[in-house]
Amino acid sequence: MNNIIHIAATLDQPDLLENMIEQLAYRRYDLGFGHQKVPVDSEALETSSSSIYLSGTVALTEGTEQLNIPFITNFLFTCVKGEDGIYKLTWSTSLS
Protein backbone atom coordinates (compact mmCIF):
# COMPACT_ATOMS: atom_id res chain seq x y z
CA MET A 1 0.00 0.00 0.00
CA ASN A 2 1.27 3.40 -0.96
CA ASN A 3 -0.91 5.78 1.02
CA ILE A 4 -0.06 9.44 0.82
CA ILE A 5 -0.51 11.42 4.03
CA HIS A 6 -0.25 15.22 3.95
CA ILE A 7 0.98 16.82 7.14
CA ALA A 8 0.60 20.54 7.85
CA ALA A 9 1.13 22.59 11.00
CA THR A 10 -0.32 25.99 11.78
CA LEU A 11 0.72 28.25 14.65
CA ASP A 12 -1.80 30.10 16.81
CA GLN A 13 0.27 33.31 17.00
CA PRO A 14 2.89 33.40 14.21
CA ASP A 15 3.44 37.16 14.61
CA LEU A 16 4.45 36.68 18.25
CA LEU A 17 6.96 33.99 17.26
CA GLU A 18 8.42 36.23 14.55
CA ASN A 19 8.81 39.08 17.05
CA MET A 20 10.57 36.84 19.61
CA ILE A 21 13.00 35.45 17.02
CA GLU A 22 13.81 38.96 15.77
CA GLN A 23 14.60 40.02 19.35
CA LEU A 24 16.87 36.99 19.68
CA ALA A 25 18.65 37.79 16.41
CA TYR A 26 19.10 41.50 17.12
CA ARG A 27 20.45 41.39 20.64
CA ARG A 28 22.62 44.42 21.34
CA TYR A 29 25.47 42.90 23.38
CA ASP A 30 28.37 40.69 22.39
CA LEU A 31 29.93 38.33 24.94
CA GLY A 32 33.13 38.05 22.90
CA PHE A 33 33.17 34.27 22.45
CA GLY A 34 33.56 34.74 18.71
CA HIS A 35 37.04 36.19 19.28
CA GLN A 36 38.45 33.32 21.38
CA LYS A 37 41.48 31.39 20.18
CA VAL A 38 40.55 27.94 18.90
CA PRO A 39 42.46 25.02 17.35
CA VAL A 40 43.50 25.18 13.70
CA ASP A 41 40.67 24.51 11.22
CA SER A 42 38.07 25.51 13.85
CA GLU A 43 35.98 28.64 14.25
CA ALA A 44 34.67 30.25 17.43
CA LEU A 45 30.96 31.01 17.15
CA GLU A 46 28.93 33.65 18.94
CA THR A 47 25.45 32.22 19.51
CA SER A 48 22.16 33.36 20.96
CA SER A 49 19.45 30.85 21.95
CA SER A 50 15.97 30.99 23.42
CA SER A 51 13.40 28.42 24.49
CA ILE A 52 9.86 29.38 23.47
CA TYR A 53 6.48 27.67 24.00
CA LEU A 54 4.35 27.47 20.85
CA SER A 55 0.80 26.30 20.28
CA GLY A 56 -1.05 25.38 17.14
CA THR A 57 -2.62 22.52 15.21
CA VAL A 58 -1.13 19.66 13.21
CA ALA A 59 -3.43 18.47 10.39
CA LEU A 60 -3.01 14.94 8.98
CA THR A 61 -4.89 14.34 5.73
CA GLU A 62 -5.26 11.01 3.94
CA GLY A 63 -7.60 11.08 0.96
CA THR A 64 -10.77 12.79 2.19
CA GLU A 65 -10.14 12.16 5.89
CA GLN A 66 -8.50 14.84 8.04
CA LEU A 67 -7.39 14.63 11.65
CA ASN A 68 -6.59 17.86 13.51
CA ILE A 69 -4.36 17.56 16.58
CA PRO A 70 -3.78 20.62 18.79
CA PHE A 71 -0.33 20.99 20.34
CA ILE A 72 1.53 23.06 22.90
CA THR A 73 5.25 22.38 22.97
CA ASN A 74 8.58 23.97 23.74
CA PHE A 75 10.97 24.86 20.91
CA LEU A 76 14.61 25.88 21.07
CA PHE A 77 15.76 28.51 18.58
CA THR A 78 19.44 29.32 18.02
CA CYS A 79 20.98 32.17 16.07
CA VAL A 80 24.65 32.30 15.05
CA LYS A 81 26.51 35.54 14.45
CA GLY A 82 27.83 35.75 10.90
CA GLU A 83 30.90 37.52 9.56
CA ASP A 84 28.67 40.52 8.83
CA GLY A 85 28.00 40.89 12.58
CA ILE A 86 24.33 39.94 12.30
CA TYR A 87 22.77 36.99 14.13
CA LYS A 88 20.86 34.67 11.80
CA LEU A 89 18.45 31.88 12.73
CA THR A 90 20.40 28.67 12.15
CA TRP A 91 18.69 25.97 14.15
CA SER A 92 15.33 25.18 15.71
CA THR A 93 14.03 22.01 17.30
CA SER A 94 11.09 20.79 19.34
CA LEU A 95 12.01 19.88 22.90
CA SER A 96 9.18 17.38 23.30
Side-chain angles (χ1 to χ4, degrees):
M1 292 183 99
N2 289 330
N3 294 338
I4 296 175
I5 298 176
H6 296 277
I7 302 172
T10 56
L11 299 176
D12 291 338
Q13 297 177 318
D15 294 338
L16 178 63
L17 173 62
E18 182 179 7
N19 184 9
M20 295 176 93
I21 298 302
E22 284 178 356
Q23 288 179 13
L24 176 67
Y26 292 106
R27 72 178 192 179
R28 300 288 182 214
Y29 57 95
D30 188 345
L31 299 175
F33 294 125
H35 303 292
Q36 296 297 313
K37 291 184 180 181
V38 294
V40 177
D41 297 328
S42 296
E43 179 182 357
L45 298 175
E46 186 77 36
T47 63
S48 180
S49 296
S50 183
S51 173
I52 302 168
Y53 276 93
L54 297 175
S55 63
T57 303
V58 173
L60 304 171
T61 307
E62 180 181 10
T64 59
E65 294 184 42
Q66 181 170 333
L67 177 63
N68 294 319
I69 305 166
F71 69 87
I72 298 174
T73 190
N74 198 5
F75 281 82
L76 177 68
F77 294 91
T78 300
C79 294
V80 174
K81 187 175 185 179
E83 291 180 4
D84 57 4
I86 297 174
Y87 287 87
K88 296 178 181 156
L89 183 63
T90 335
W91 180 260
S92 64
T93 187
S94 170
L95 297 177
S96 62

